[in-house]
Every structure is written in structure tokens, then in C-alpha cells.
Amino acid sequence: MAERYDVIIVGLGPAGAAAAMELCRAGAKVLVLNRPPARDKPCGGCLSLRGLRALDFLEPPAWVSAHAVSRLWIGLPGRAPVEYVSASPGAYFVERGRLDAFLAQRAAEAGAVVISQKARSVRAVPGGFEVTGPDQTWSGDWLLGAGGAACPVGRALGLGQTSWVFAALVEERPMPAGHAPFLENAALLEVGAASCGYAWAFGRGAVLNLGIAGLTQRDQGGSGGLHRRYGKFLARLGLPPGATPRGAAIPCPDRRRPRLVKGRAAVIGDAGALSDPVLGEGIAQALVSGRMAGAAIKAGDLGLYQRRMEDTLLRDHYHARILGRVIDLAPGLFHALTRHRPGGVELGFNWLRGELRPGDMWLALARGLAGRPPRLDPVRCPYYISPQVRMFHEG
Ligand SMILES: Cc1cc2nc3c(=O)[nH]c(=O)nc-3n(C[C@H](O)[C@H](O)[C@H](O)COP(=O)(O)OP(=O)(O)OC[C@H]3O[C@@H](n4cnc5c(N)ncnc54)[C@H](O)[C@@H]3O)c2cc1C
């Protein structure tokens, strides 16, 4: 007979780990199945300040915030990058493998049973779900799909479907000495480098993380000549081609209302296509969605998770999607604005710090054009901040 758990979570990235911790702390019997990773996840390793705050409940170690980013270069092919330095950091560069290992360790310490096996199939059975691995089957009352872009839960139950993905390439190399003065603990975002996307160079101390991402329609295939565009980006930076960059997809919500829940099953993080549609930022969103789904299971109703996501993250993504496409349509104009109206760049920092929601961006932009400061609130996005998850039961 299959071993039985209260909750089975497929995948132990930030989403699965956050959900596991939320549930274990409430005394649930949680099983996490995680496909053993062959290598570290391809990632830019940029954790926004609101993402760091979403980690507060774990009291993250000092290394997570060691590489604070206040300095940003905005580039455009053929133009000199514009430098902007904010008064306080908007994000932190982290080593992704180390972050994931830390989260996985905390989930296990909280009491989750973690098995390093791939979930091959999932199916609904009377009273719950069965998840089958290479040589064993487990059953649970609740099921969370946290297996990232190719999660079997989403596929089997038709959840988290989207036609929009960022196709991305990424690599890391030692920081070249000549680039260190500009890029050490600084970010370069080059708009217009990819069709509907951007290229980046993130200086995590002595490591340079380089990549490119472009939004594509999943069913149309192709990645918009990403390798060629990436090669050109490197040439503009004066960098030789390095090791072959690794490719990966970041799903984000398209125009349809996403379905995240079916009965006692839900998808979280990338499995729910919950990354931000402007930058493809997904670590913070995975943490938040994982905790919210965990809190909903504790409350006995996953419908709360769907509704809460619609009121928070998905509403923000609606505005972010429009904003992102405006930038894609006119990257040259965006670049010129950052040069002439640096306050607009600060709005991006406000956003990453969780002081401004994307829906407030329109008013802030209008105020900026009229020479007035935006209306800010240090906790404008309270759902990123850990203790607020508890309020969820009340809301
Ligand atoms: C190139 C690139 C750069 C990025 N840069 C950034 C960035 O700078 N900042 C940022 O915030 N976000 C970034 N992202 C997005 C971010 O990596 C994701 O949004 C985030 O990892 C989502 O977390 P998750 O827990 O949902 O999924 P994942 O982190 O993908 O974790 C899923 C886990 O499930 C496991 N799994 C998969 N299938 C199965 C299965 N069948 N059975 C069992 N286990 C399974 C996987 O091994 C993995 O451990 C980037 C993504 C890419 C591709």
C-alpha cells in the first residue's frame, strides 16, 4: 500500500521549499519529491529586496545579502549605457545553487520528508492523489506542483498553463579586471538586446553573471535568434565568447486568467507561470506563492490561494505585462527617458523594493513627468513580507 502524507509537493525549488516550511510549521506531514539536479539551476541570481523580505521568516544568513545592488547601468545597442545609483539597494546578487541548498535544508529541518526522486506521474484518486516515482508510489490528501517550468502536476491537471515564456541563456565567468570598476556589485540591463526582452550583466563580486532573455509564444517555437543576439551583446561589452551559455525557459502569465487550483491540488512558482512578465524575476514570486498555497491548505481551502493570488501577484502582473510591452515597443525611447529623467529609474528600484506596485506605476510616471515625486509606501506590496502571510486567514 502507498505510504500516505497530508501533502505531497513535487519539486524543491524556492516554491516547494516555502510551501513545505509553511505546512510543516503547522504540523502537517509533508513529502517532497525532488528530481536530483544534474547542475545548479540556470539563473541570474538577482534577488529583489522584496524577495529578500519574503525570506525574512527564515532569518537568512548574511551571505544572502552580501552583494547589494544600488548601481545600475541601462544600455541600448549602439548607445553608451546610462549609469544610475540609487540611495539604497533594490536587489542582491546571490549564488543560486547555494540559495536553493539553503532553502532545501530549511525545509528538511522543518520536518519535510525529502526524497531525491523524480515524480513520473500524478493522478487524482478518491480522497486525494497518487504520485509515482521510478520505483514507488506515494499518496496524499493534498498535492502541490512546484516542479518548475516542466512540472508534471500542471501538465496532468491542466493548471498553470501559459503561452508566454522567456527563452533565456545564461553563463557565469570570473569578472574580467577591466570590467570590475563598472560591474562589481552592479547590474547592467540592456534593453532592445533581445526581441521583447533584454540582456544582463550582473557583477556578483568577483563573478560575472551574463545572460539574455526574450519573451516568446510557447507554441510558436524558436527563441528569436537568442544565441546570435547574445554573441553580439558580449561583443558590445568587449567580452570574448565564453563557455556555451545554458538555455532555460521562464514561464510567465499570458493574457488569460490563470487557473492555479483544482480541488485539493495547486501549482506554485514557475509551475504556475508566476514569474514577473517584465524581467522574468521568479524567486520572490515562487516564495510568495508557495507560502500562500501552504497557508490555504492549512485553512482547508485552496480556493483561497487562487483568490489571494488574483488580488495580489496576478493583479501586479497584469500591469507589469503592459509596462513590459511598452518598453519592448520603444526601447530607444525608454533609454532616452532614463538619461533625461533618472527619477524613472528610481521607480524601478521602488518596485524591486516593494515600495510601489506596478499598478501605481502609471500615476507615478505621470507625477514624474509633471516634476512631482511618486507616492511611496515602504510596505506597498505587503504580501511579499513574511508575517503578512498570516493575515491571509483573515482576508
Ligand atoms: C536563465 C534564467 C535566469 C533567471 N534569473 C532570475 C533572477 O535573476 N532572479 C529571479 O528572481 N529569478 C530568475 N529566474 C527565474 C527563477 O529561476 C524561477 O522563477 C524560480 O527558480 C522558480 O522557482 P520554483 O521553485 O517555482 O521552480 P524551480 O526553481 O525550477 O524548482 C523546481 C524544482 O523541481 C524539481 N523538479 C522538476 N521536475 C520534477 C519532477 N518531475 N519530479 C520531482 N522534482 C522535479 C527541479 O529539479 C527543481 O529542483 C531565472 C530563470 C532563468 C531560466
Side-chain angles (χ1 to χ4, degrees):
M1 205 180 127
E3 205 172 333
R4 192 155 190 100
Y5 290 86
D6 296 329
V7 188
I8 300 182
I9 302 176
V10 174
L12 190 57
M21 281 179 272
E22 189 71 24
L23 287 159
C24 286
R25 287 177 176 191
K29 186 180 172 193
V30 176
L31 169 71
V32 186
L33 293 171
N34 194 45
R35 184 182 60 195
R39 299 160 71 183
D40 282 348
K41 227 162 274 170
C43 189
C46 183
L47 182 69
S48 59
L49 176 60
R50 61 189 178 180
L52 183 69
R53 299 186 81 175
L55 275 176
D56 277 352
F57 76 115
L58 295 176
E59 293 164 9
W63 58 259
V64 176
S65 49
H67 299 291
V69 190
S70 310
R71 189 179 184 199
L72 174 67
W73 299 88
I74 304 273
L76 179 79
R79 296 275 169 81
V82 178
E83 184 187 17
Y84 181 80
V85 181
S86 182
S88 65
Y92 299 83
F93 291 145
V94 292
E95 196 182 327
R96 182 60 199 268
R98 199 174 179 193
L99 180 68
D100 281 3
F102 163 72
L103 292 171
Q105 186 193 339
R106 284 297 171 93
E109 284 167 2
V113 175
V114 179
I115 299 183
S116 282
Q117 282 195 18
K118 179 178 177 173
R120 290 217 166 135
S121 63
V122 301
R123 67 185 187 112
V125 293
F129 299 90
E130 271 186 4
V131 180
T132 303
D135 47 27
Q136 201 179 340
T137 296
W138 299 269
S139 60
D141 299 343
W142 302 82
L143 176 65
L144 288 179
C151 183
V153 176
R155 276 203 312 270
L157 303 179
L159 299 176
Q161 304 300 300
T162 182
S163 59
W164 285 21
V165 288
F166 279 100
L169 298 174
V170 67
E171 64 157 300
E172 288 198 344
R173 56 174 80 180
M175 174 75 77
H179 289 68
F182 310 101
L183 287 175
E184 203 170 290
N185 296 331
L188 164 73
L189 294 182
E190 191 182 77
V191 292
S195 152
C196 295
Y198 65 99
W200 72 83
F202 293 161
R204 193 179 72 241
V207 175
L208 187 57
N209 180 299
L210 296 156
I212 189 166
L215 200 57
T216 60
Q217 296 270 346
R218 186 170 243 161
D219 43 8
Q220 283 177 359
S223 58
L226 218 52
H227 278 277
R228 181 175 46 79
R229 290 171 183 271
Y230 180 63
K232 288 186 171 178
F233 171 62
L234 289 184
R236 283 193 291 277
L237 282 183
L239 292 170
T244 310
R246 295 174 65 200
I250 315 171
C252 61
D254 58 21
R255 290 189 193 88
R256 293 169 297 181
R257 175 177 177 258
R259 189 172 179 204
L260 303 174
V261 174
K262 189 173 183 182
R264 291 178 153 231
V267 283
I268 54 182
D270 274 7
L274 292 172
S275 286
D276 157 74
V278 177
L279 294 171
E281 179 198 2
I283 300 172
Q285 293 73 6
L287 290 165
V288 166
S289 60
R291 290 199 75 200
M292 282 192 188
I297 291 177
K298 285 196 301 194
D301 177 8
L302 265 174
L304 289 171
Y305 165 62
Q306 173 85 37
R307 291 198 288 282
R308 189 77 170 118
M309 292 303 281
E310 285 175 8
D311 288 346
T312 56
L313 213 56
L314 291 169
R315 182 170 296 172
D316 284 358
H317 282 0
Y318 168 81
H319 291 281
R321 198 163 50 233
I322 301 172
L323 199 68
R325 301 304 69 81
V326 170
I327 298 172
D328 292 340
L329 278 175
L333 181 65
F334 176 75
H335 184 260
L337 273 176
T338 60
R339 203 168 22 170
H340 299 298
R341 299 274 179 166
V345 185
E346 185 61 26
L347 293 181
F349 275 87
N350 296 138
W351 180 347
L352 291 174
R353 288 197 286 257
E355 298 162 348
L356 191 71
R357 291 183 70 166
D360 302 328
M361 196 60 90
W362 310 112
L363 180 61
L365 283 170
R367 287 176 68 92
L369 288 172
R372 293 160 68 196
R375 288 202 188 100
L376 295 178
D377 179 340
V379 284
R380 197 75 188 93
C381 301
Y383 56 93
Y384 279 100
I385 298 161
S386 311
Q388 297 291 334
V389 172
R390 279 178 221 125
M391 283 173 56
F392 172 63
H393 301 294
E394 298 146 28

